[in-house]
């Protein structure tokens, strides 16, 4: 984390309080910060009133300090094709300590010379080795590690931000910002959640195009909440955290667990088209016939992910959360799908049928009312068209001509 503010002394004070607060938490270790006020420094504070009395300005004081301590480019010296800067500054003996600065002579506009100590306060002290900045503000970076098998990094970050927010209420203008691994972790979690939502939308669109329906994809995707139950239960039982790898496993489940619903719904629709069964009997017949493929595909997927969950490779304990999440989601979704998907299929189909009937009574027409390619209804016997056709045929037969010749 980066503690940001304007004054270094205040930053040092706040950093000390934060460090002591972190040391009280036994779940944190290796607490450190990059603010070290160990570098000797000399600060010069102009006496504006005294300087104004002798006709000097702050610019005159700073120019004299720059010339004596740092030097200024007074001229350029050229030898052949090379040019050198001529830099003028005081000898080392005149800028060794604070007393040398106090003895710097300044020339006033009236031509008199005054010492630096007469128009400025020269104070000796300690300063930082370097001044760090974050977002163009002075900052102090505070770091720590989490003790193993205590709390997660996310829990430590949540605790730290809550405690520091309360502390900074007494220091307006100062704030704490997540940096480093904490910032990367937060950004990664946001990207993973976006990827999860995107995968759900894409799967729904693909299913809607496959089934040519906006209702059946909802029925199939009822398996996703069932998979989440198994994911969190498996992570809890295996003492795994909801890490980035666990979220990757959840994204994988979005595409894996929907296939069980696809097997049931697709076969039920096929039975309804071929045998004319109603949704209830179609699902009753599809369930036993599709039970074996569902169990076989689920078992093969679980066996394939099992080595990842066991962490059998080098560094596999980091990726084990992904395998645990996938296995837990497959177990619960496989068994609960056999009960939830048929129920949802029948419920949604009955609801849509009732809505269609209501709309039909209101005057709306649907494609199934007059399917394309169906022959028009035959005209009743005795109608003028039938009589006319009969007269034409009799005339054609009497004259020995065919109907095609008459046409």
């Amino acid at each position: 984390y980066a503690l940001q503010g304007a004054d270094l002394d205040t930053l040092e004070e706040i950093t000390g309080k934060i460090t002591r607060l972190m040391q009280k938490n036994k779940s944190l270790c290796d607490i450190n910060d990059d603010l070290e006020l160990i570098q000797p420094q000399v600060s010069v504070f102009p006496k504006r009133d005294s300087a104004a009395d002798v006709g000097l300005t702050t610019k005159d004081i700073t120019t004299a300090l720059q010339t004596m301590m740092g030097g200024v480019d007074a001229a350029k010296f050229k030898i052949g094709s090379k040019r050198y800067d001529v830099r003028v500054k005081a000898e080392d003996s005149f800028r060794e300590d604070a007393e040398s600065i106090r003895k710097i002579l300044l020339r006033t506009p009236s031509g008199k010379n005054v010492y630096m100590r007469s128009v400025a306060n020269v104070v000796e002290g300690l300063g930082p080795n370097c001044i760090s900045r974050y977002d163009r503000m002075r900052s102090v970076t505070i770091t720590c590690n989490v003790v193993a098998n205590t709390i997660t990094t996310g829990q430590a970050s949540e605790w730290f931000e809550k405690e520091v927010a309360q502390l900074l209420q007494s220091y307006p203008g100062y704030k704490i910002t997540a940096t480093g691994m904490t910032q990367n972790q937060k950004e990664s979690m946001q990207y993973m959640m976006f990827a999860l939502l995107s995968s759900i939308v894409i799967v729904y669109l693909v299913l809607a195009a496959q089934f040519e329906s906006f209702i059946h994809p909802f029925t199939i995707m009822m398996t996703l909440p069932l998979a989440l139950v198994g994911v969190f239960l498996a992570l809890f039982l295996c003492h795994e955290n909801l890490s980035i790898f666990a979220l990757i496993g959840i994204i994988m489940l979005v595409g894996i667990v929907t296939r069980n619903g696809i097997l049931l719904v697709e076969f039920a629709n096929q039975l309804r088209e071929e045998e004319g069964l109603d949704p209830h009997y179609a699902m009753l017949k599809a369930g036993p016939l599709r039970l074996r493929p569902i169990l076989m595909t689920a078992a093969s997927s679980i066996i394939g992910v099992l080595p990842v969950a066991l962490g059998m490779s080098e560094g596999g304990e980091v990726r084990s959360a992904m395998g645990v999440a996938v296995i837990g989601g497959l177990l619960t979704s496989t068994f609960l799908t056999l009960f939830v998907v048929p129920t949802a299929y029948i419920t949604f189909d009955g609801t849509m049928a009732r809505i269609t009937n209501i709309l039909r009574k209101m005057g709306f027409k649907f494609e199934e009312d007059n399917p394309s390619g169906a022959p028009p209804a035959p005209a009743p016997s005795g109608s003028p068209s039938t009589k006319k056709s009969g007269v034409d045929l009799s005339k054609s037969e009497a004259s020995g001509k065919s109907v095609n010749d008459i046409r």
Side-chain angles (χ1 to χ4, degrees), residues 225-388:
L226 308 179
L228 291 178
V229 174
V231 168
F232 293 116
L233 183 61
L235 292 175
F236 174 76
L237 295 178
C238 296
H239 304 285
E240 295 285 352
N241 299 320
L242 187 61
S243 60
I244 298 296
F245 288 98
L247 289 177
I248 294 175
I250 295 176
I251 295 175
M252 292 171 57
L253 285 173
V254 174
I256 295 175
V257 300
T258 53
R259 63 185 177 186
N260 296 334
I262 293 174
L263 290 173
L264 284 173
V265 174
E266 175 65 22
F267 194 65
N269 289 342
Q270 184 178 352
L271 292 176
R272 294 178 62 183
E273 293 178 1
E274 295 179 355
E275 302 182 12
L277 299 178
D278 63 5
H280 179 76
Y281 288 102
M283 189 56 69
L284 286 178
K285 190 173 182 179
L289 294 177
R290 289 303 183 187
L291 176 61
R292 184 178 178 182
I294 290 174
L295 295 180
M296 290 178 62
T297 55
S300 62
S301 301
I302 291 173
I303 294 174
V305 182
L306 191 59
V308 180
L310 296 177
M312 300 177 65
S313 60
E314 187 173 348
E317 63 275 2
V318 180
R319 300 185 296 271
S320 61
M322 178 175 62
V324 171
V326 173
I327 291 177
L330 282 173
L331 287 175
T332 56
S333 66
T334 299
F335 291 103
L336 295 179
T337 294
L338 302 175
F339 302 96
V340 175
V341 170
T343 304
Y345 180 83
I346 297 172
T347 302
F348 287 158
D349 193 274
T351 302
M352 289 303 301
R354 286 191 292 270
I355 294 176
T356 302
N357 291 332
I358 294 174
L359 295 177
R360 187 178 286 112
K361 293 179 180 179
M362 295 173 61
F364 291 92
K365 295 183 179 181
F366 298 90
E367 185 178 355
E368 57 267 20
D369 296 339
N370 187 20
S372 59
S381 58
S383 62
S385 61
T386 307
K387 293 181 179 179
K388 183 178 180 180

Side-chain angles (χ1 to χ4, degrees), residues 11-29:
L11 287 175
E12 181 186 17
E13 178 185 353
I14 299 175
T15 302
K17 292 182 179 180
I18 293 176
T19 302
R20 289 189 293 270
L21 184 65
M22 297 172 67
Q23 290 173 349
K24 295 179 181 179
N25 192 334
K26 302 302 180 182
S27 300
L28 305 179
C29 63

Side-chain angles (χ1 to χ4, degrees), residues 9-82:
D9 294 333
T10 307
L11 287 175
E12 181 186 17
E13 178 185 353
I14 299 175
T15 302
K17 292 182 179 180
I18 293 176
T19 302
R20 289 189 293 270
L21 184 65
M22 297 172 67
Q23 290 173 349
K24 295 179 181 179
N25 192 334
K26 302 302 180 182
S27 300
L28 305 179
C29 63
D30 302 331
I31 302 170
N32 193 14
D33 62 81
D34 63 353
L35 180 62
E36 297 181 355
L37 302 179
I38 59 176
Q39 184 72 20
Q41 70 176 16
V42 177
S43 303
V44 179
F45 302 96
K47 300 177 183 178
R48 299 182 184 273
D49 295 337
S50 300
D53 292 339
V54 296
L56 295 176
T57 63
T58 303
K59 182 180 179 181
D60 298 330
I61 298 174
T62 56
T63 302
L65 281 173
Q66 174 65 28
T67 304
M68 296 295 291
M69 307 303 294
V72 293
D73 294 334
K76 294 185 182 295
F77 181 67
K78 184 177 181 181
I79 300 178
S81 61
K82 295 184 179 180

Side-chain angles (χ1 to χ4, degrees), residues 100-210:
S100 300
I101 299 176
R102 295 188 182 97
K103 294 180 180 180
I104 294 176
L105 288 175
L106 303 174
R107 184 175 293 276
T108 64
S110 62
K112 297 181 179 180
N113 294 330
V114 296
Y115 286 106
M116 179 68 72
R117 60 172 174 262
S118 300
V119 294
N121 292 323
V122 181
V123 181
E124 299 182 61
L126 296 176
N129 289 331
C130 64
I131 299 178
S132 302
R133 294 183 182 274
Y134 188 83
D135 288 342
R136 297 183 297 178
M137 294 180 64
R138 292 183 175 181
S139 65
V140 179
T141 302
I142 303 173
T143 60
C144 71
N145 290 322
V146 178
V147 179
N149 301 324
T150 54
I151 59 176
T152 63
T153 305
Q155 292 173 339
S157 300
E158 184 179 356
W159 173 85
F160 180 83
E161 292 176 358
K162 180 180 178 181
E163 296 295 332
V164 174
Q166 296 178 355
L167 176 63
L168 293 181
Q169 291 179 356
S170 304
Y171 297 90
Y174 292 82
K175 62 180 181 178
I176 195 79
T177 306
T179 60
M181 294 183 62
T182 304
Q183 182 184 16
N184 294 336
Q185 184 179 13
K186 289 185 176 181
E187 292 178 353
S188 299
M189 293 295 289
Q190 293 176 357
Y191 295 149
M192 294 303 296
M193 294 305 298
F194 176 77
L196 178 60
L197 295 177
S198 300
S199 63
I200 293 175
V201 173
I202 292 173
V203 168
Y204 174 79
L205 294 177
V206 171
L207 292 175
Q210 179 183 356

